[in-house]
Amino acid sequence: MNAITYQEEKNIDKTLLLNLYNNAGWVAYTSNIDELEKAINNSLYVLTAKSNGKLLGLIRIVGDGTTILYIQDILVHTDYKRKGIGTELIKRTLQKYASVRQKVLLTEDTEETRGFYESLGFESCDKGYLVSFVKLENKYDYP
């Protein structure tokens, strides 16, 4: 694999976005590419991982960047998983926002997902002193 470049960017080609999000199975996002593009542009921070013009991964952050941030999306193309791309996206983001006290993400509960985030210092709310709640619209989009 050629060198991977990491870049802060929000103006991402729609075709590249569609390919990555579809690869992840996130069809709730890809059913309206204009809405996804608007969400990307309105995000606090977006970091991409690319090689030879292909979008290999992306992390998208929302929040105020001072007291709280939410890791809204983190995706790595299935052909490039387990190559350190997701870890690098998280580490660069956490370094950039090191002074932010509260960093939150909501994700599916699988052994692989738990292991990944716990290896990066995140704690599951079901194991600690916090509780997490979510109100999802269009629940049919989620397993």
Side-chain angles (χ1 to χ4, degrees), residues 115-137:
F116 175 71
Y117 289 111
E118 288 172 354
S119 76
L120 293 165
F122 287 85
E123 295 180 38
S124 172
C125 287
D126 68 346
K127 294 182 179 179
Y129 56 112
L130 298 173
V131 64
S132 178
F133 297 95
V134 63
K135 183 177 184 309
L136 300 172
E137 304 300 332

Side-chain angles (χ1 to χ4, degrees), residues 2 22 45 57 66 84 97 101 112-113 129 133 136 139:
N2 291 334
N22 278 328
Y45 175 75
T66 302
Y97 293 102
R101 184 179 71 81
E112 178 184 23
T113 301
Y129 56 112
F133 297 95
L136 300 172
K139 292 179 184 172

Side-chain angles (χ1 to χ4, degrees), residues 10-37:
K10 294 181 182 179
N11 187 17
I12 304 167
D13 180 89
K14 287 181 184 183
T15 303
L16 296 177
L17 283 175
L18 280 171
N19 288 339
L20 183 62
Y21 279 79
N22 278 328
N23 176 263
W26 292 15
V27 295
Y29 283 97
T30 60
S31 64
N32 186 337
I33 187 61
D34 293 330
E35 190 174 89
L36 174 58
E37 188 175 48

Side-chain angles (χ1 to χ4, degrees), residues 50-69:
K50 291 181 178 175
S51 181
N52 288 337
K54 182 173 184 173
L55 183 60
L56 309 181
L58 173 146
I59 190 168
R60 180 168 78 93
I61 306 300
V62 298
D64 62 29
T66 302
T67 63
I68 191 167
L69 62 86

